[in-house]
Amino acid sequence: MITVALPKGRIADETLDLFGKIFQENFSFQDRKLILEHMGFRFLLVRNQDVPTYVYHQAADIGVVGRDVLEEHELDLIWLLNLGIGKCKVVVGSSVGKGIDYRKPRIKIATKMPRITIRHFSQKAIAVDVIKLYGSIELAPLVELSDGIVDIVQTGATMKQNNLKVDEVIMDSSAYLIANKNSFYAKKQAILDLQSQFQALIQQ
Ligand code: PRP
């Protein structure tokens, strides 16, 4: 049995579609169930940001999660394959017509990704106070909670509709297949088989 942690939402659906194509079977969670067992796999439906935690502690052998989340967690995990789904960018953003005043001795940045934020600005020798939020990050500069934000952009609609602009792209992200190190050695053949099946499928 291989346990797979999937992030609730579109990435889980797209990953289950890939499993469906590989095994010519239907993989789908029933209603509000958080565990699905099928064809020798146990799928766990978890919060996006929690996928690395499940895999790191070996509650799941493998998982699918965005590079942005992996870069934020900095956990010792094996990155097996870029699946090319769930594409987005991590950006620095600020209000249109206002921007971030970098002449200030310290700038305030609202984000749900404090590590990525601190790493990015410290590489530029810019002093930053991070304001940790859990969602609706785009609101922060509008009510002067912060000078700017570090957040995910997919379509760009949220930033546009809230009168924000992208100042800088910190990284391009997409979903990766990851593995726990011990699981990888204990279940190496099965995991490598799955990796090559995924690879063949996404190259089509
Ligand atoms: C993410 C992100 C942006 C939005 C970007 O939020 O934090 O708010 O999606 O998408 P867009 O560029 O297509 O508009 P999410 O949906 O995860 O909600 P949250 O911020 O409340 O966590």
Side-chain angles (χ1 to χ4, degrees):
M1 176 81 84
I2 293 185
T3 303
V4 190
L6 297 177
K8 270 186 188 174
R10 229 182 56 206
I11 293 179
D13 296 342
E14 290 186 30
T15 307
L16 289 173
D17 283 349
L18 292 173
F19 271 92
K21 284 186 184 145
I22 291 169
F23 296 99
Q24 297 292 310
E25 283 272 332
N26 179 37
F27 289 81
S28 53
F29 282 87
Q30 275 173 27
D31 197 27
R32 296 298 170 100
K33 285 220 174 190
L34 299 174
I35 297 182
L36 161 70
E37 285 191 10
H38 194 46
M39 304 282 295
F41 294 96
R42 182 197 290 127
F43 298 94
L44 313 177
L45 209 49
V46 309
R47 237 350 248 282
N48 187 30
Q49 291 91 336
D50 295 335
V51 171
T53 310
Y54 276 80
V55 178
Y56 180 73
H57 293 285
Q58 216 177 0
D61 300 307
I62 61 174
V64 175
V65 67
R67 177 185 167 201
D68 54 314
V69 177
L70 290 166
E71 299 271 3
E72 182 62 24
H73 276 74
E74 297 178 317
L75 291 171
D76 195 12
L77 295 160
I78 299 176
W79 296 33
L80 291 168
L81 181 65
N82 181 355
L83 296 175
I85 57 175
K87 284 189 179 152
C88 63
K89 290 178 193 297
V90 179
V91 307
V92 179
S94 63
S95 295
V96 171
K98 192 158 177 264
I100 300 171
D101 183 0
Y102 287 107
R103 292 166 307 181
K104 280 183 169 181
R106 304 183 72 82
I107 57 163
K108 275 194 268 179
I109 297 291
T111 187
K112 51 185 164 190
M113 296 174 285
R115 286 207 182 115
I116 291 174
T117 302
I118 289 166
R119 223 185 298 146
H120 174 73
F121 286 105
S122 70
Q123 278 163 3
K124 301 177 145 222
I126 294 169
V128 61
D129 289 324
V130 168
I131 297 175
K132 172 83 167 89
L133 296 176
Y134 294 88
S136 299
I137 316 297
E138 293 84 354
L139 198 53
L142 306 181
V143 294
E144 279 158 33
L145 177 60
S146 71
D147 300 306
I149 60 171
V150 167
D151 199 18
I152 301 296
V153 171
Q154 273 158 5
T155 62
T158 310
M159 285 189 70
K160 197 168 178 203
Q161 289 180 29
N162 290 289
N163 215 24
L164 300 180
K165 63 181 183 349
V166 172
D167 293 328
E168 267 180 276
V169 176
I170 300 179
M171 73 176 78
D172 286 305
S173 179
S174 56
Y176 278 73
L177 185 65
I178 57 162
N180 171 280
K181 282 202 157 169
N182 293 327
S183 295
F184 183 71
Y185 292 111
K187 302 180 183 181
K188 198 167 187 172
Q189 202 50 57
I191 291 174
L192 287 177
D193 284 350
L194 196 61
Q195 179 195 26
S196 54
Q197 284 164 313
F198 269 110
Q199 191 145 30
L201 201 59
I202 61 178
Q203 272 168 355
Q204 279 175 7

